[in-house]
Amino acid sequence: MKKFSFMALLGVLILILAACTDDSNVEEEATEGEETAAAEGGTLTLAIPSDAVSMDPHGSNDVPSEQIRDTIYEPLLTQDENFEIVPVLAEEYEQVDDTTWQFKLREGVTFHDGSEFNADVVKANIERVKDPAKASPRSFLLEMVSEVNVIDDYTVELVTEYPFAPLANNLTHGAGKMISKDLIDADYQQALDEAGSDLSLEEYYDLRAEGGEEHEAVANEISSFVGQLVESEPVGTNYFKFDSRSPGEQTAVVRNDDYWGDTALLDGVTFKVVSEPGSRIAELESGSSDAILATLSSNIDRVENNEDVTLLRNDSVSIDYIGFNTEKEPFDDPRVRQAITHAFDSQAVLDGVYNGSGTPAEAPLAPGVLGYSEDLEGLEYDMDRAEELLDEAGVEDLTINLMVNDDNPERVDVALWLQESLSNLGITVNVEQVEWGAYLAATGAGEHDMFILGWSNSTGDPDNGISPLFHSDNIGDTGNRSFYNNPELDSILDEARQSTEESEREELYMEAQQILVDEAPAIFIRHGENLNAHGNHVEGFEGDAYNIFNFRGTSIQ
């Protein structure tokens, strides 16, 4: 039996979450000036490159959405700067046996709509993210949970279908963030009404619990309506609450004065969509925005030479990669994928496009993640070998549609670099630049030959660093946009996620990565570096390795 208590991590938690003490006495003893500073903290304007795809934590699986949603919703657990699990809405948890986990929930927490957080809420959220009517692209993170049992108001038990070592890590992911049960119920009721169903809400929940064809039929009927209410009226428990949104332009959140922990200093944050990188820097320089995300590596000198702004740099556990659609000819032939990989000079791209930012990648897992190995060797840059492999595969006069999101100039430059390199092999590459939301939809539907994307591995566990991208269960918008199907790899990944021995898991993930190097369903470019910036009048603005920001201690001077 493993038991995890968080008393020893209390000091860390105070710093990271600022959420374990009752701040009522502090407020009583504060001076009038301090109260005014907290109440009139101003609104921080943050220029971001891409708008949220969804305001529903179960609605999309992308970082731009999570950067906004993280201020509204909270999970049961989170991670500190050392990737250690620390509590949020769960005060402690215990792994009772290989497949049973019990969570003691925090009491006295209310949602922004005034409803109570309790075990019923946890059950409602996990069952929703797994519901095919929601069709969540994040369902894979909790698909192994077979039962959610309410023990009492503040104790909930999760039972997994099989042993699953990374469960706690997966619950730190956005898929594990809690929506108000009142909102979930209202959203389902609206979906049933819109679909013209005669079922009551309770009848639908009973039908879902039973499963089977009848539930599948109803789920299909209401699927297009589930989530509409959550999308327009998001309700969580976090230190900010939703205020307003103009899709494609900006989203505003404001301070939750009824937050269960220490309230934020700022009055709010406005996430302002500014797609062009140079324009984001101009926003910062002019003072139109207080901070910006995703400063290009080519602009590092420009930002660092400005004495009025501060550049933030921190390593990421992400992977930038070029994916092949392995279901399409000729990319269903590993030799063609290997040839194109050999034609990609990753070091030249790292230096020329990314200006040395980040670290070269041989495989998906980043340094510091279980399973990473410096001994793993990728397919080296070798144009002669690339030509040989294309000849062996009988490929000539090949034209490729390479899709990339239009708000990321570095990815566009990588695409243009590959276009030029492959032209030396007689391959024509058409680079198609697509708006972010449409890009995710198109690549999720397989409307591409090749694509360029990143993956943040936002649980810090090797399972989430590989399985979403390459396990056949996740083909499509869940993450496997390479449409890669390898039963041997699937078997290794399934075994690794069920193993409780860390050394065994490490060995299995190293084996999995060797298959990916050999089979080449993707070209691994680099493990990224987060580059963000803020004006010097902003204090306490810091992101984590996943490029998610905690604004609790942020202030404007």
Side-chain angles (χ1 to χ4, degrees):
M1 178 185 297
K2 297 180 182 178
K3 186 164 185 178
F4 305 77
S5 175
F6 297 104
M7 296 304 295
L9 291 170
L10 186 57
V12 173
L13 179 57
I14 291 172
L15 291 173
I16 302 300
L17 299 176
C20 282
T21 59
D22 182 352
D23 60 3
S24 59
N25 291 333
V26 176
E27 291 179 358
E28 290 172 5
E29 295 170 6
T31 66
E32 182 178 349
E34 289 170 338
E35 289 176 350
T36 301
E40 300 178 0
T43 296
L44 182 137
T45 299
L46 176 63
I48 57 177
S50 303
D51 193 16
V53 175
S54 171
M55 295 300 292
D56 183 341
H58 306 157
S60 67
N61 198 29
D62 64 301
V63 172
S65 297
E66 198 61 33
Q67 287 169 330
I68 299 176
R69 292 187 304 226
D70 186 70
T71 67
I72 299 171
Y73 305 99
E74 291 180 298
L76 299 181
L77 308 169
T78 191
Q79 299 176 30
D80 65 16
E81 70 275 16
N82 298 314
F83 305 108
E84 296 294 330
I85 306 295
V86 293
V88 186
L89 295 178
E91 291 186 317
E92 61 181 47
Y93 70 97
E94 177 182 0
Q95 185 174 359
V96 179
D97 55 42
D98 283 349
T99 59
T100 307
W101 302 67
Q102 195 169 98
F103 298 80
K104 182 64 177 176
L105 305 180
R106 187 178 298 280
E107 299 184 27
V109 176
T110 57
F111 284 90
H112 303 150
D113 60 6
S115 62
E116 182 184 4
F117 169 72
N118 54 32
D120 288 329
V121 171
V122 177
K123 181 177 175 67
N125 274 269
I126 293 179
E127 290 180 345
R128 180 180 189 265
V129 76
K130 287 168 53 65
D131 189 346
K134 177 55 195 165
S136 173
R138 292 180 148 181
S139 60
F140 71 95
L141 286 149
L142 296 171
E143 58 84 21
M144 73 297 301
V145 178
S146 57
E147 297 178 30
V148 185
N149 300 318
V150 175
I151 307 303
D152 58 43
D153 285 351
Y154 296 101
T155 307
V156 65
E157 179 183 83
L158 304 188
V159 179
T160 59
E161 183 180 348
Y162 46 82
F164 185 73
L167 180 63
N169 285 75
N170 281 19
L171 288 170
T172 70
H173 188 275
K177 289 177 179 171
M178 299 288 115
I179 308 168
S180 160
K181 184 179 184 302
D182 284 2
L183 178 58
I184 289 175
D185 290 345
D187 184 76
Y188 269 116
Q189 186 62 64
Q190 176 177 286
L192 290 165
D193 293 343
E194 291 286 340
S197 174
D198 294 330
L199 290 177
S200 69
L201 183 63
E202 291 72 20
E203 288 172 335
Y204 176 74
Y205 287 160
D206 289 342
L207 190 64
R208 183 177 65 184
E210 294 172 7
E213 294 182 0
E214 188 176 354
H215 170 248
E216 183 179 347
V218 177
N220 287 335
E221 290 176 4
I222 69 174
S223 182
S224 61
F225 305 107
V226 173
Q228 288 183 352
L229 210 57
V230 177
E231 199 69 61
S232 61
E233 303 173 14
V235 176
T237 61
N238 216 344
Y239 58 94
F240 282 140
K241 56 186 179 181
F242 177 74
D243 181 55
S244 64
R245 175 166 166 77
S246 178
E249 296 181 7
Q250 65 178 37
T251 300
V253 295
V254 295
R255 183 173 60 237
N256 174 20
D257 289 323
D258 297 320
Y259 184 57
W260 57 268
D262 290 342
T263 56
L265 301 177
L266 294 169
D267 292 329
V269 174
T270 297
F271 297 88
K272 181 179 180 181
V273 180
V274 183
S275 298
E276 206 280 314
S279 297
R280 287 198 299 280
I281 295 179
E283 286 263 330
L284 184 63
E285 292 171 337
S286 68
S288 299
S289 290
D290 301 295
I292 62 174
L293 298 188
T295 301
L296 293 184
S297 58
S298 57
N299 290 320
I300 289 176
D301 288 344
R302 175 178 172 181
V303 176
E304 288 187 327
N305 290 333
N306 187 333
E307 62 182 14
D308 295 323
V309 303
T310 297
L311 178 68
L312 302 177
R313 306 181 68 160
N314 66 308
D315 291 332
S316 166
V317 294
S318 66
I319 180 73
D320 289 319
Y321 68 101
I322 304 171
F324 298 93
N325 187 339
T326 62
E327 282 190 339
K328 286 188 176 181
E329 294 183 351
F331 307 109
D332 57 344
D333 187 334
R335 294 172 297 183
V336 176
R337 304 194 299 263
Q338 291 165 359
I340 294 175
T341 302
H342 278 301
F344 185 80
D345 188 343
S346 58
Q347 189 60 56
V349 170
L350 193 69
D351 294 337
V353 175
Y354 294 103
N355 297 282
S357 175
T359 57
E362 306 291 350
L365 299 183
V369 176
L370 183 70
Y372 170 80
S373 173
E374 293 182 350
D375 297 330
L376 189 65
E377 296 183 3
L379 300 179
E380 63 181 359
Y381 175 60
D382 187 337
M383 293 295 284
D384 291 337
R385 180 56 180 155
E387 192 167 4
E388 290 174 3
L389 286 165
L390 290 174
D391 289 342
E392 289 178 19
V395 171
E396 55 185 24
D397 299 324
L398 178 61
T399 298
I400 296 171
N401 173 39
L402 174 56
M403 196 174 288
V404 64
N405 52 307
D406 62 4
D407 59 1
N408 192 315
E410 288 177 333
R411 288 181 187 165
V412 174
D413 287 346
V414 171
L416 295 176
W417 195 100
L418 185 61
Q419 180 186 61
E420 182 176 351
S421 180
L422 292 182
S423 68
N424 296 319
L425 296 173
I427 296 174
T428 299
V429 177
N430 297 322
V431 178
E432 181 181 0
Q433 301 182 46
V434 185
E435 181 273 332
W436 176 242
Y439 176 66
L440 291 180
T443 53
E447 300 172 7
H448 60 283
D449 296 329
M450 295 176 64
F451 66 100
I452 304 178
L453 204 55
W455 184 256
S456 64
N457 186 12
S458 49
T459 72
D461 188 88
D463 179 69
N464 191 53
I466 301 178
S467 292
L469 298 181
F470 301 110
H471 196 294
S472 64
D473 285 350
N474 299 319
I475 284 176
D477 65 0
T478 302
N480 185 350
R481 289 174 161 81
S482 297
F483 290 78
Y484 182 61
N485 188 340
N486 184 328
E488 181 186 4
L489 179 70
D490 287 353
S491 178
I492 292 171
L493 294 176
D494 289 342
E495 184 180 355
R497 61 167 36 184
Q498 295 181 38
S499 173
T500 57
E501 296 295 329
E502 186 172 290
S503 59
E504 181 181 18
R505 295 189 76 214
E506 181 177 26
E507 185 176 338
L508 288 167
Y509 286 119
M510 290 172 64
E511 186 178 346
Q513 289 181 100
Q514 188 63 60
I515 290 174
L516 293 172
V517 169
D518 296 340
E519 284 277 299
I523 302 170
F524 303 107
I525 305 171
R526 65 163 191 159
H527 301 296
E529 180 182 21
N530 298 321
L531 299 172
N532 307 296
H534 64 82
N536 291 340
H537 63 290
V538 178
E539 294 186 358
F541 178 77
E542 295 181 354
D544 62 17
Y546 308 121
N547 216 27
I548 302 297
F549 286 76
N550 182 346
F551 296 97
R552 284 181 186 82
T554 305
S555 62
I556 299 176
Q557 304 304 310

